[in-house]
Amino acid sequence: MTDGGGREVRPGDRADSRSRRRRPGADGPLRVGVVGAGFIGETHVAAWAAEGIRAVIHDVDADRAAALAGRHGARVAGSLDELFGGVDVVDVCTPTDLHADVAIAAVRAGRHVICEKPMARTLADAGAMLAAARDAGVRLFVAHVVRFFPEYVAARQAVLDGAIGEPGVLRFTRASFRPRQPAGHWFFDHARSGGIVLDLMVHDLDYARWVAGDVVAVHCRSASVAQPDAGVDHAVAILTHRSGAISHVSASWGYAPPTFVTSFEIAGSHGLIEHSSTTAAPVMASLLAGAAGGGLTAMADTSLAGDPFRLELAEFAGAIRDGTEARIGPADGLEALRIALAADESARTGAVVRLARVVE
Amino acid sequence: MSVPVEARQAVRIGLLSAEHVHAPTYLSLLASMPGARLVGVWDEDQGRAAAAAAPVSTRAFDDVDELLEQVDGVVIASANSRHRRLVEVAATAGVDVLCEKPLATTVDDARAIVDACDRAGVRLMTAFPTRWNPAARALESAVRSGALGAPVFLEGVNTGTMPDIHAAWFVDPARSGGGAVTDHVVHLADLFRWILRSEVVEVYAVANRILQERFAGVETGGLVSMRFASGVSATIDCSWSKPRSYPTWGGLSVQAVGTGGAFGIDAFRQHLAVYGTRETGISWPAWGPNADRGMLAEFLSVVRDDREPAVTGIDGLRAVEIVDAAYRSIAAGAPVPLRVGERAGVAPSGPADEGATTRRRADR
């Protein structure tokens, strides 16, 4: 097997290749392949394009891949091997349960991997991804985009600056409507997506850990609001951090379109940080023509503060190019998943789930 | 002993103890409300009684029995741990009682308060003014009318500054019963019971002492998660998480979701933002209606008409049971079951307006 530059690639022979091998992007733009042409795949392709990178796209549905490529002037790869052969980085935007297979195949092909959140559907999968990337000596990033939203970045920085002292009680809300995917879509199949806890709540679970540190106990209650037969669409977790801080994390698809509210409150030993998207809109339009009803799924409007997806992918690309660390490492992705799976389990059993020590 | 109150006659009201921060508010409202005749204030600290009485030009009593002989009802605004003794004194005197929340610091005391009033045949009301807050009533109406569909999840936030700035006893567990969990769970717990017409069957809670500069006396941060018999889940953030610099004392809000969508309330949203000098800083003076007035009007009506109050002593007891369950969960690190009346030995009964029973007093 060769990589895109014709250099010999031997899986398992890359333990310290980060320092030895050519850094992708150092002498030319990073070559990026996006696997999965769904909602997040398109978001990433657009963000790559905005960064001046035309991604190569692969999807098991060739027509969908071609349509996405056409919208962004990108190319299509007919197979994963073809994709791996022509890129430095594989950006995994498949359904959650397929993250591990695609990511592990990519790292074994010697490709760096960016993986959409949640990292995987199971801890075993996430652990295998981590080990495979380590063995192959390639970089692995988990795309927890909330770490790149400017308001969340600013709040964490305020905490780091000591503005509120030690975080004590944190509260996060992410409230929206049910994604408008067709019935039978993988998104609504708990076995494949992990449902609202793994898909939506995981954003704030990761952020809570980023701000207040590792989590040692998780309790969660969940409910079916809009469609009782269609599974859980509202969940509230209570986390206990190792530091003693406690977090209240609420995620909902029970609101009416086009609602998308994110809010947080971080109370510390010496102060308080408040934020709500409901009071942070710098533009308030109420136009009679073309009244919007919300898109396929809700997205935060960040057009006036910089696109977090661009910031995220650019940081990962820079970390690969320069051999530097990004603000989120692969173990962080695994820990966020561990907390989410604990919340999902607690919601099911009613018990508190205690977490073992984090991976080293 | 009290005498029957004729219709349209002003209800004679007294205040027992001015220890609580709400005492001045109650006094100024009672002094101005039609239908009330404020007789006076008793406090075991005579200086405190005099200080509370002066602004509303009412009498400070040295002898509690002397005050009780001249009133039809009393408002009890003592430190939490003294509620039981003062309710028992009032009940023995045959005087109806509006008792500050939480009804007591222990389930046993709350039960004793309910029993004492039952035995004496006096009316007992718990001070949960949130039931008269227009936003809270709008939420209740949205559930009652079916606009919200079947309620599924209620998320409440009742956070504030640490109340030791008002009175030191708030952070002395011997007198308050506890910290943020004791102080701030009961309002929302009662509101949720009222909205849902259901009882809490399980409670999970966590707490810590990080906020308020790591104040060590009592818990300053708390999160409570509960499940109702009807299947609805709810959470309460009861933390003293507002720093001294916050423009107001705190607030109370609820986000409810049901099969009909979502419904949010912010009970104290109706305020101005006033930017003063560097010294006076920012303040949020409220301009919305005062729920305390509605609550006191209800008490006056209860005394005048000798009827069951909209918020009973049982409601106060239930809220104390939920607080007790929260502390048990904090100690256990796990959810704990709660069966209505189990720990208190009181027969199960719904919230006040569920039965809408009218009970006649034997001595009137």
Side-chain angles (χ1 to χ4, degrees):
Chain A
M1 186 186 286
T2 61
D3 70 10
R7 294 174 294 272
E8 188 69 15
V9 174
R10 292 196 306 277
D13 186 29
R14 295 185 160 269
D16 58 349
S17 59
R18 241 203 263 175
S19 54
R20 278 192 284 115
R21 74 193 274 257
R22 162 193 170 272
R23 285 195 175 125
D27 48 4
L30 198 69
R31 298 168 306 160
V32 173
V34 173
V35 182
F39 178 77
I40 197 67
E42 173 137 28
T43 304
H44 280 202
V45 167
W48 285 120
E51 288 295 304
I53 291 173
R54 286 190 181 182
V56 184
I57 300 163
H58 173 73
D59 193 292
V60 288
D61 181 340
D63 292 340
R64 192 163 73 154
L68 173 57
R71 286 195 291 276
H72 298 278
R75 290 188 298 113
V76 168
S79 70
L80 278 181
D81 283 341
E82 182 189 335
L83 183 96
F84 295 162
V87 300
D88 305 304
V89 180
V90 175
D91 181 356
V92 181
C93 295
T94 63
T96 300
D97 60 325
L98 301 178
H99 284 182
D101 283 353
V102 175
I104 290 170
V107 300
R108 285 183 178 155
R111 302 295 165 257
H112 304 291
V113 166
I114 294 168
C115 182
E116 175 57 11
K117 49 61 44 184
M119 185 173 182
R121 180 60 186 85
T122 67
L123 268 187
D125 274 359
M129 290 163 68
L130 211 56
R134 195 175 287 157
D135 291 347
V138 299
R139 308 292 300 278
L140 172 61
F141 302 90
V142 182
H144 278 284
V145 74
V146 168
R147 292 196 185 205
F148 297 86
F149 272 73
E151 65 274 44
Y152 288 82
V153 172
R156 178 170 179 272
Q157 191 58 50
V159 172
L160 292 178
D161 291 345
I164 60 157
E166 181 189 351
V169 182
L170 304 86
R171 209 171 58 245
F172 303 96
T173 301
R174 198 162 290 269
S176 190
F177 56 93
R178 189 177 182 79
R180 288 165 167 156
Q181 305 287 5
H185 191 268
W186 69 270
F187 207 69
F188 301 128
D189 181 352
H190 184 266
R192 301 199 62 191
S193 70
I196 191 170
V197 172
L198 260 67
D199 200 82
L200 189 69
M201 184 189 278
V202 74
H203 284 297
D204 294 299
L205 297 175
D206 174 63
Y207 183 76
R209 178 176 167 270
W210 200 34
V211 172
D214 283 330
V215 171
V216 295
V218 182
H219 180 267
C220 185
R221 297 190 200 277
S222 66
S224 298
V225 179
Q227 292 161 283
D229 300 333
V232 166
D233 54 10
H234 189 98
V236 178
I238 293 178
L239 316 179
T240 302
H241 299 263
R242 178 163 291 126
S243 67
I246 52 181
S247 290
H248 182 283
V249 187
S250 170
S252 186
W253 285 327
Y255 285 59
T259 305
F260 186 56
V261 173
T262 58
S263 67
F264 57 77
E265 185 178 294
I266 305 172
S269 54
H270 295 84
L272 172 69
I273 299 170
E274 294 178 333
H275 167 77
S276 173
S277 62
T278 59
T279 53
V283 172
M284 287 144 283
S286 182
L287 306 178
L288 296 173
L296 185 68
T297 187
M299 294 284 278
D301 177 10
T302 56
S303 55
L304 296 165
D307 177 356
F309 291 97
R310 275 186 69 180
L311 295 169
E312 170 186 66
L313 296 176
E315 180 164 312
F316 293 162
I320 290 167
R321 186 180 58 239
D322 304 334
T324 53
E325 297 300 319
R327 70 189 68 183
I328 178 165
D332 295 318
L334 187 143
E335 288 308 320
L337 177 64
R338 189 197 304 275
I339 300 165
L341 289 168
D344 202 46
E345 178 186 337
S346 173
R348 197 171 61 252
T349 64
V352 175
V353 177
R354 296 186 190 287
L355 300 183
R357 287 202 74 85
V358 300
V359 291
E360 299 305 329
Chain B
M1 295 298 288
S2 67
V3 294
V5 181
E6 299 303 326
R8 295 186 184 80
Q9 184 183 331
V11 174
R12 301 171 303 163
I13 294 287
L15 183 83
L16 296 192
S17 178
E19 278 186 293
H20 199 282
V21 59
H22 293 161
T25 311
Y26 295 154
L27 286 171
S28 91
L29 285 168
L30 289 168
S32 67
M33 286 171 73
R37 187 162 73 78
L38 182 58
V39 175
V41 181
W42 171 87
D43 193 298
E44 63 186 7
D45 178 335
Q46 293 176 18
R48 192 161 53 210
V56 289
S57 304
T58 192
R59 183 179 159 194
F61 284 78
D62 296 342
D63 180 352
V64 68
D65 293 325
E66 189 187 351
L67 173 61
L68 288 170
E69 282 168 11
Q70 300 177 34
V71 297
D72 308 303
V74 288
V75 179
I76 293 176
S78 67
N80 300 342
S81 64
R82 279 199 254 271
H83 289 173
R84 177 177 174 176
R85 189 171 62 80
L86 292 177
V87 171
E88 287 171 346
V89 168
T92 303
V95 171
D96 295 330
V97 172
L98 169 62
C99 184
E100 183 54 78
K101 66 83 201 172
L103 189 60
T105 56
T106 66
V107 172
D108 286 344
D109 275 2
R111 161 71 198 279
I113 284 172
V114 170
D115 286 351
C117 291
D118 276 347
R119 273 197 310 274
V122 300
R123 300 295 178 181
L124 172 62
M125 177 169 166
T126 309
F128 287 137
T130 306
R131 291 213 200 181
W132 285 270
N133 176 279
R137 295 177 84 83
L139 174 58
E140 196 270 347
S141 294
V143 172
R144 197 66 44 235
S145 71
L148 191 57
V152 170
F153 218 118
L154 305 173
E155 295 173 36
V157 178
N158 185 193
T159 55
T161 49
M162 189 158 74
D164 61 332
I165 48 172
H166 307 299
W169 67 260
F170 274 105
V171 295
D172 173 2
R175 290 188 285 167
S176 64
V181 172
T182 294
D183 192 35
H184 274 174
V185 164
V186 291
H187 284 299
L188 282 166
D190 178 70
L191 182 64
F192 292 171
R193 288 180 60 251
W194 179 49
I195 288 170
L196 299 172
R197 266 60 166 189
S198 183
E199 297 294 352
V200 172
V201 294
E202 186 196 77
V203 175
Y204 175 70
V206 293
N208 63 27
R209 300 177 183 204
I210 296 172
L211 308 182
Q212 305 296 339
E213 303 181 3
R214 285 199 154 275
F215 180 81
V218 287
E219 78 282 356
T220 50
L223 298 170
V224 183
S225 175
M226 61 201 78
R227 190 160 51 81
F228 284 81
S230 63
V232 176
S233 294
T235 59
I236 297 172
D237 180 350
C238 60
S239 305
W240 287 337
S241 50
K242 308 298 193 202
R244 295 275 184 258
S245 60
Y246 207 74
T248 189
W249 63 271
L252 184 147
S253 64
V254 179
Q255 279 293 321
V257 293
T259 54
F263 199 96
I265 63 161
D266 184 346
F268 298 92
R269 185 69 162 261
Q270 292 176 314
H271 62 77
L272 302 177
V274 176
Y275 303 85
T277 64
R278 183 181 297 274
E279 287 69 36
T280 58
I282 307 168
S283 62
W284 286 355
W287 53 262
N290 186 340
D292 287 340
R293 180 185 294 275
M295 178 182 75
L296 292 171
E298 165 72 3
F299 182 57
L300 296 175
S301 166
V302 163
V303 176
R304 187 174 55 239
D305 301 338
D306 185 25
R307 64 168 174 80
E308 191 82 343
V311 192
T312 63
I314 294 289
D315 291 322
L317 168 62
R318 295 285 170 263
V320 170
E321 288 172 334
I322 294 167
V323 170
D324 177 71
Y327 282 121
R328 285 188 283 128
S329 173
I330 290 164
V336 296
L338 174 60
R339 286 178 199 86
V340 161
E342 180 183 61
R343 284 173 64 82
V346 171
S349 103
D353 45 355
E354 195 165 41
T357 53
T358 43
R359 168 175 64 96
R360 299 311 306 174
R361 279 188 279 187
D363 62 337
R364 292 200 178 177

